[in-house]
Amino acid sequence: MKQFVCEPCGYIYDPALGDPDNGIKPGTPFEDLPDDWVCPICFLGKDVFVEAND
């Protein structure tokens, strides 16, 4: 699964890890995150994330 990076702060969403502190189970693809999910670091929305380069 592809990772996505928050451009403003650099947080990387890794689907293998999910975001358990915010109710996102490991194995959840970025595309399946709720529309109201926000970056756990800077609290901006999914629209500021871009696909991470390997």
Side-chain angles (χ1 to χ4, degrees):
M1 285 186 272
K2 296 178 183 175
Q3 296 181 345
F4 285 78
V5 62
C6 178
E7 285 192 305
C9 77
Y11 169 81
I12 296 174
Y13 176 76
D14 184 347
L17 302 175
D19 182 13
D21 291 341
N22 292 298
I24 306 299
K25 295 179 182 179
T28 304
F30 184 81
E31 296 81 12
D32 291 347
L33 292 173
D35 290 338
D36 61 353
W37 180 83
V38 295
C39 174
I41 304 297
C42 68
F43 307 107
L44 295 176
K46 289 172 58 177
D47 58 324
V48 300
F49 280 75
V50 295
E51 191 173 321
N53 296 326
D54 292 333

